[in-house]
Amino acid sequence: MTAKSLYQELEPLLAQVRKPIQYVGGEVNATVKEWTDAKVRWALLYPDAYEVGSPNQGVQILYEVLNEQPDVLAERCYAVWPDMEALLREKNIPAFTLDSHRSIRDFDVLGVSLATELGYTNLLNTLDLAGIPIRSADRSDSDPLVLVGGHSAFNPEPLAPFIDGAVLGDGEEPTLTISRLIAEWRESGSPEGRLGLLSKLAAAGVVYVPAFYDISYGSQGHIEAIRPNRPGVPWTVSKHTLMDLDEWPYPKKPVVPVAETIHERMSVEIFRGCTRGCRFCQAGMITRPVRERSAGTVANMVDCGLKRTGFDEVGMLSLSSADHSEIGDLAKGLADQYEGTRTSLSLPSTRVDAFNIELADELSRNGRRSGLTFAPEGGSERMRRVINKTVSEDDLIRTVTAAYASGWRHVKLYFMCGLPTETDEDVLQIARLAREVIRTGREVSGRRDIRCTVSIGGFVPKPHTPFQWAGQLPAEQTDRRLQLLRDEIRGDREYGRSIGMRYHDGEPGIVEGLLARGDRRVADVIEQVWRDGGRFDGWSEYFSFDRWSSAAANVWRDEPIDLDWFTTRERSFDEVLPWSHLDSGLDAEWLWQDWQDALAEDEVGDCRWTPCSQCGVCDQMDTHIQVGPADKVWIPTISVGATAPEMA
Amino acid sequence: MSKRQPPNEAQPVVQKLRLRYAKSGRMRFASHRDFQRALERAVRRAELPIAFSGGFSPHPRISYANSAPTGAASEAEYVQLGMREEVNAELIPDALTAALPNGFAITQCVIATSGSVADRLDASLWQLELRGVNREQVAVALNQLKVTPDVTVDRVTKSGVKQVEVGSAILESTVTAMESVAGVEACAILQVVVRHDIPAVRPEDVLTALVEYADLDEPASSVFTRLAQGPLTGDPVTVGDPFSEMR
Ligand code: B12
Ligand code: SF4
């Protein structure tokens, strides 16, 4: 392999594209290892633009974990914008990595991080630009293995023919295992080539290899059976769960982008997993159980990270950050420690309670106090019982009003539209709520300039959640309900002008739904859309619903399936779901019961505070909840930052 | 009523540092805003006692002067830092360069006494590396340009098309050549002294003028580097060191 840097050839093109800095790499803390020293080489792809992909922690963690291995190297790559794509195609330059600008095809593994389904066409495009055949069956021994991970990899079926394998769950340990298995296989003379390697990875249970499973379909279009087609391949493939996050304090030295990105801050993951049990949330269901980092480790990561990056803001990231068992002390400790250093701390919390305000007050005490966010998700109390996001109307209004009383001028409220059992009335309640919030807010704050923005996302049923059986609301219905809500808010003379509304059209949600709950037959549609020019589907300026619906109509013209079949159709318990053989640990019966409870408007508790609800994860995966407070007591070192080392 | 905390107080500046920096290699593709963020982070990484403004969103006291366009390299960019504590200026270039991404380098640091650097940046010496065209072609085109009246080019910006008056801003010019670089045969090297008018003439405008008014073939590719920026001195005019009278 004569891997060389393509930078010389790229340089003249950089002057011709928008924001060329995103393609050059060379950021502080970027790693470029000697090519020939490595036995196993990974290209890590986030299939969206650099500005969106670089804040992702998953890629940053794997990049560091892999690069710390003496004989492994990892480089990063992102999707290129259409202007760059056109030039690359014109000049015949392959898709490249940022770190050493080598062709992606020169690597042993292309590891793709899938946080959202709308990046699938970008994945195909990157493969094609790299000169890698888009279908796994057409690849040779000199092509990299294409492996996907991240949340969407929990149903990789729509991508089945394009990928060589999928890794479910936390990637730290599996990527190391995969690297070791590749090195071993190569040392023993690469027996049976690519197929031999994939069998080895599948047999070890670390990678799901779609090609090793046959799917049969009934005449109505339903899946009849999913079964392995090779000896030594497991019937089900399980997710990986990383325990003891204190032992894995990554990223230790986050890459500091030179280009502007969506998150201009450093992030520290304070825990992984979430057991709040919101029924719409795939992330919460597939990342169980909760595993906290201790306050001491978090403080340490914040301190080292800031020193190594120079960021002036730290976000304490997780799925529900205010739920960390030591969060109060942590927030206060860090706020004390960084007092006077012009370092801001943020906690992306959306909890609807007074504690959220307390924390936000604490964290913003040295700086900005702009907007505070709450996520009731459902407009009516009934709706909130269905989705298991329980908060009463009175509590909600009391909480939000308390925020205005404590000096916040702008409150953002997050909701969903299209939830199971939802009626027009449930959605219109959002307007009533916002009105009530402003009314009492004006009363307690004595000001008329307070604002409330309601942000509404379309609900998309996801695999491995209790709502995986639900029918998705058709796009027209979503649009109609949002229109009703808009009219209701606009029509309010007294409060309407203090209420902002942000929402998206229903159509992209239908495509997301198709890709989320689709099976292998969706692959041809993805390919067709990509061939028709589909790229950057997560960006409204590039997304075209027509492209998707006509591709689906065309590909499936002789089949009993269509867009609606995959999206708006409700499933029954005995239907074989495309991801039935992929194990997130959740018991199918538990999920179904939770779905029934949702329909009955019954709630389920959080296993951190109420008894275990037998979701199945801990038994199945041999894991347990890891929440503090840790035995180690963390005392903030007040001196840090207050006195910067003197240079004089 | 409101429990809002008083905003941060502004920190007094006790020392002003003037820096000259270079951007080269991959970092020439950084925009001005990209450099600003990189510098602010480098200042924090190097733990320099920069002063902050007050209010709810405090900013470090850094002022920039006339930065080179995205894509252009430069050996002569200027910036000023307001410090809340005195530092040893000699240690700054190495400390900050180490904290910046490779491709940005602080090459000089002086303690400011009076005036502002921005006021001393009257003109720039630009070098245009024009790959795929030779010395003669550029020399001929240049002569043609000199005798053409009213050389104005259009520059497309986000806010529309801007008219830039190129002819009168070019004060001096020389052409040399470089032997084959990176497999490309001919490469003419054009150096021009350009006065900073409003809007300022950029090297790409000079190239556009040569192509549009003097029929120069479009080069295969080009790299622009600002070699100097400062007051105009001497006859024939050269670009002086803006720090020279300030030390
Ligand atoms: C930071 C962040 C962003 C940032 C950065 C991009 C990103 N997605 O990371 C921004 C603001 C840009 C963003 C945007 C969006 N986001 Co976001 N985002 C997050 C957030 C807060 C953290 C992500 C993160 O870094 N996690 C921590 C890392 C360690 O986890 P990880 O990325 O999953 O990686 C681990 C494993 O999955 C695995 N892995 C990952 N990749 C790979 C690859 C291989 C080969 C292997 C082997 C393993 C592997 O290993 C990693 C280490 O264990 C999460 C919530 C959360 N706390 O997770 C939401 C989240 C990921 N985002 C989400 C969504 C929906 C979006 C948007 C679609 C929102 C929108 N409607 O616009 C966009 C899409 C962006 C895009 N076009 O790609 C959802 C995904 C829903 C789901 N299906 O689970 C999440 C979970 C939030 C939620 N609670 O719903 N997001
Ligand atoms: S198995 Fe029990 S303890 Fe573990 S996450 Fe599920 S409900 Fe919680």
Side-chain angles (χ1 to χ4, degrees):
Chain A
M1 208 183 292
T2 56
K4 59 155 185 140
S5 168
L6 300 164
Y7 189 73
Q8 290 291 333
E9 289 157 67
L10 281 166
E11 197 182 24
L13 311 187
L14 291 170
Q16 303 169 45
V17 298
R18 244 182 79 247
K19 298 190 193 157
I21 190 73
Q22 66 186 308
Y23 303 115
V24 305
E27 306 96 321
V28 164
N29 295 331
T31 307
V32 185
K33 289 177 79 173
E34 195 56 56
W35 184 259
T36 46
D37 289 353
K39 286 191 191 143
V40 181
R41 306 180 181 103
W42 289 71
L44 297 172
L45 168 71
Y46 191 97
D48 208 315
Y50 179 88
E51 63 197 75
V52 168
S54 67
N56 173 259
Q57 296 289 291
V59 169
Q60 290 209 32
I61 292 170
L62 301 181
Y63 179 67
E64 252 185 59
V65 166
L66 290 168
N67 275 324
E68 273 184 7
Q69 298 293 308
D71 48 4
V72 180
L73 75 72
E75 302 199 358
R76 299 158 301 144
C77 44
Y78 300 89
V80 300
W81 288 107
D83 60 346
M84 182 55 124
E85 180 191 340
L87 289 171
L88 292 179
R89 290 195 187 277
E90 183 193 321
K91 307 278 178 197
N92 250 313
I93 301 175
F96 52 89
T97 59
L98 290 193
D99 297 298
S100 68
H101 292 96
R102 285 189 166 87
S103 164
I104 291 174
R105 191 163 181 261
D106 292 337
F107 289 76
D108 300 308
V109 187
L110 173 61
V112 187
S113 186
L114 299 175
T116 157
E117 296 83 5
L118 293 176
Y120 292 176
T121 48
N122 278 357
L123 166 56
L124 261 61
N125 200 41
T126 308
L127 289 173
D128 185 60
L129 275 172
I132 302 170
I134 61 161
R135 294 206 170 234
S136 144
D138 300 331
R139 288 179 201 139
S140 72
D141 284 357
S142 60
D143 288 306
L145 284 189
V146 179
L147 302 181
V148 298
H151 293 181
S152 300
F154 276 81
N155 176 25
E157 290 304 282
L159 293 174
F162 311 125
I163 62 175
D164 296 303
V167 175
L168 275 56
D170 298 327
E172 289 86 342
E173 291 169 313
T175 48
L176 292 178
T177 312
I178 293 165
S179 304
R180 184 172 51 75
L181 292 174
I182 294 177
E184 280 173 17
W185 165 79
R186 200 168 284 141
E187 268 153 33
S188 57
S190 311
E192 288 178 72
R194 220 180 158 76
L195 196 62
L197 175 58
L198 285 170
S199 314
K200 199 174 157 90
L201 295 174
V206 68
V207 176
Y208 162 61
V209 180
F212 294 167
Y213 296 79
D214 286 336
I215 320 283
S216 53
Y217 304 96
S219 58
Q220 302 295 302
H222 299 81
I223 295 178
E224 263 177 8
I226 304 175
R227 50 170 73 84
N229 57 23
R230 272 175 82 85
V233 174
W235 279 85
T236 61
V237 181
S238 300
K239 73 163 180 184
H240 302 271
T241 310
L242 186 73
M243 300 303 289
D244 300 315
L245 261 69
D246 280 351
E247 310 287 315
W248 297 82
Y250 296 93
K252 295 173 183 166
K253 40 183 195 109
V255 170
V256 189
V258 183
E260 190 167 4
T261 65
I262 287 191
H263 273 185
E264 286 290 322
R265 59 170 172 262
M266 190 179 93
S267 296
V268 173
E269 213 187 340
I270 63 174
F271 64 84
R272 214 172 264 184
C274 178
T275 40
R276 286 235 151 203
C278 306
R279 293 178 172 128
F280 54 82
C281 177
Q282 181 187 40
M285 292 291 161
I286 61 179
T287 59
R288 294 172 170 223
V290 168
R291 291 141 291 151
E292 286 186 354
R293 266 197 181 111
S294 65
T297 306
V298 171
N300 218 340
M301 286 177 74
V302 170
D303 188 39
C304 294
L306 285 175
K307 287 201 172 105
R308 288 169 180 160
T309 60
F311 277 120
D312 62 359
E313 185 178 348
V314 187
M316 280 176 277
L317 180 150
S318 76
L319 287 167
S320 175
S321 295
D323 287 345
H324 190 288
S325 63
E326 298 171 277
I327 194 67
D329 292 345
L330 191 56
K332 177 163 189 329
L334 288 173
D336 286 349
Q337 178 161 349
Y338 290 98
E339 178 126 39
T341 64
R342 308 310 195 259
T343 304
S344 38
L345 301 161
S346 66
L347 190 88
S349 168
T350 51
R351 250 169 79 162
V352 191
D353 55 22
F355 186 55
N356 192 1
I357 305 172
E358 222 172 277
L359 280 173
D361 281 350
E362 189 68 70
L363 292 173
S364 67
R365 72 178 188 217
N366 323 314
R368 283 160 250 171
R369 179 166 292 195
S370 45
L372 188 57
T373 303
F374 300 95
E377 306 287 5
S380 65
E381 239 174 78
R382 187 195 76 79
M383 203 70 258
R384 291 195 291 275
R385 280 196 302 273
V386 170
I387 61 179
N388 202 38
K389 187 112 194 182
T390 326
V391 50
S392 73
E393 176 110 12
D394 289 350
D395 280 348
L396 205 154
I397 289 166
R398 201 171 310 127
T399 303
V400 179
T401 331
Y404 290 122
S406 124
W408 298 84
R409 295 275 157 271
H410 187 186
V411 168
K412 288 183 226 160
L413 299 178
Y414 279 57
F415 295 96
M416 280 192 203
C417 174
L419 290 160
T421 76
E422 179 185 276
T423 63
D424 291 358
E425 192 39 45
D426 289 312
V427 174
L428 287 173
Q429 289 265 17
I430 296 174
R432 256 207 39 224
L433 210 77
R435 211 154 44 214
E436 200 46 30
V437 157
I438 293 289
R439 194 184 65 76
T440 31
R442 284 184 188 167
E443 236 171 69
V444 297
S445 68
R447 312 178 58 126
R448 290 187 64 86
D449 65 349
I450 55 164
R451 287 190 57 77
C452 168
T453 301
V454 295
S455 207
I456 298 136
F459 165 67
V460 178
K462 294 277 164 110
H464 306 280
T465 68
F467 291 166
Q468 64 181 353
W469 290 282
Q472 189 174 347
L473 190 67
E476 315 78 65
Q477 293 293 334
T478 305
D479 294 345
R480 192 185 54 80
R481 273 187 197 155
L482 291 173
Q483 186 62 44
L484 285 177
L485 176 61
R486 218 177 59 157
D487 294 347
E488 180 82 9
I489 292 175
R490 287 245 176 108
D492 188 320
R493 291 165 152 252
E494 175 69 16
Y495 302 108
R497 252 185 267 154
S498 301
I499 303 171
M501 175 172 163
R502 298 182 47 186
Y503 63 94
H504 295 286
D505 298 337
E507 287 179 338
I510 291 292
V511 173
E512 189 184 331
L514 167 74
L515 300 173
R517 291 193 295 171
D519 58 39
R520 291 183 187 193
R521 292 168 296 181
V522 174
D524 289 346
V525 176
I526 301 174
E527 181 173 344
Q528 186 61 52
V529 167
W530 166 68
R531 292 200 185 280
D532 293 343
R535 314 273 188 277
F536 289 95
D537 284 305
W539 298 72
S540 54
E541 56 273 51
Y542 291 99
F543 177 79
S544 155
F545 185 70
D546 284 351
R547 196 149 47 203
W548 282 94
S549 58
S550 58
N554 185 27
V555 168
W556 294 328
R557 58 188 176 275
D558 301 324
E559 308 251 6
I561 50 173
D562 58 17
L563 260 182
D564 287 346
W565 193 86
F566 282 106
T567 56
T568 56
R569 183 177 62 92
E570 188 173 332
R571 279 80 159 159
S572 65
F573 182 64
D574 33 309
E575 180 163 341
V576 180
L577 300 172
W579 51 92
S580 303
H581 55 315
L582 302 177
D583 191 2
S584 58
L586 296 159
D587 227 41
E589 280 79 21
W590 182 86
L591 279 176
W592 179 260
Q593 188 53 51
D594 205 35
W595 171 219
Q596 299 311 306
D597 289 348
L599 297 174
E601 298 167 23
D602 276 345
E603 295 142 15
V604 59
D606 186 319
C607 60
R608 275 169 297 182
W609 309 303
T610 59
C612 168
S613 71
Q614 306 297 337
C615 76
V617 171
C618 291
D619 276 350
Q620 184 70 19
M621 300 291 150
D622 195 17
T623 54
H624 55 274
I625 313 177
Q626 291 184 321
V627 293
D631 38 4
K632 316 156 239 185
V633 177
W634 169 60
I635 302 154
T637 45
I638 309 288
S639 66
V640 173
T643 53
E646 243 73 64
M647 298 238 4
Chain B
M1 165 101 260
S2 141
K3 281 186 265 155
R4 224 161 139 97
Q5 305 285 326
N8 292 291
E9 273 178 42
Q11 294 171 330
V13 171
V14 301
Q15 183 188 43
K16 285 181 187 164
L17 300 177
R18 287 185 179 144
L19 313 181
R20 171 177 173 151
Y21 70 92
K23 70 179 203 171
S24 63
R26 302 183 198 181
M27 288 307 139
R28 75 180 163 96
F29 295 107
S31 71
H32 176 54
R33 283 163 52 92
D34 296 336
F35 174 74
Q36 288 184 342
R37 282 191 308 273
L39 181 65
E40 285 179 20
R41 286 168 188 164
V43 165
R44 282 181 169 263
R45 253 158 63 85
E47 304 190 2
L48 300 184
I50 191 95
F52 279 86
S53 64
F56 276 102
S57 48
H59 288 290
R61 301 267 190 204
I62 305 183
S63 39
Y64 299 84
N66 196 40
S67 52
T70 307
S74 177
E75 290 170 14
E77 301 295 293
Y78 295 91
V79 60
Q80 179 168 305
L81 311 183
M83 312 305 287
R84 60 168 200 273
E85 280 166 37
E86 285 193 11
V87 296
N88 180 348
E90 278 172 35
L91 301 177
I92 297 293
D94 285 353
L96 267 183
T97 303
L100 280 161
N102 264 335
F104 292 128
I106 308 294
T107 51
Q108 245 184 313
C109 174
V110 301
I111 296 169
T113 45
S114 63
S116 87
V117 206
D119 290 346
R120 276 160 236 238
L121 304 181
D122 297 330
S124 286
L125 172 62
W126 280 102
Q127 170 167 296
L128 288 73
E129 228 176 279
L130 307 172
R131 296 175 188 171
V133 292
N134 62 34
R135 203 189 81 89
E136 274 69 39
Q137 287 170 293
V138 177
V140 169
L142 205 54
N143 284 332
Q144 166 80 41
L145 201 64
K146 278 181 193 153
V147 299
T148 311
D150 301 328
V151 178
T152 311
V153 302
D154 289 346
R155 187 197 299 155
V156 187
T157 66
K158 268 184 222 143
S159 45
V161 179
K162 233 195 238 174
Q163 293 255 304
V164 186
E165 160 97 47
V166 177
S168 58
I170 301 180
L171 304 181
E172 276 302 324
S173 55
T174 51
V175 200
T176 52
M178 193 153 67
E179 296 316 314
S180 55
V181 276
V184 186
E185 338 66 87
C187 177
I189 307 278
L190 169 61
Q191 292 197 353
V192 283
V193 172
V194 181
R195 195 182 46 230
H196 292 171
D197 293 343
I198 297 171
V201 173
R202 293 175 173 185
E204 75 217 43
D205 302 324
V206 174
L207 178 57
T208 309
L210 286 169
V211 172
E212 284 181 6
Y213 285 86
D215 297 327
L216 180 71
D217 292 340
E218 190 82 55
S221 67
S222 44
V223 178
F224 309 135
T225 309
R226 172 143 61 195
L227 300 177
Q229 207 183 167
L232 280 167
T233 53
D235 182 24
V237 291
T238 53
V239 178
D241 175 2
F243 287 166
S244 65
E245 322 135 48
M246 298 175 119
R247 260 179 271 201

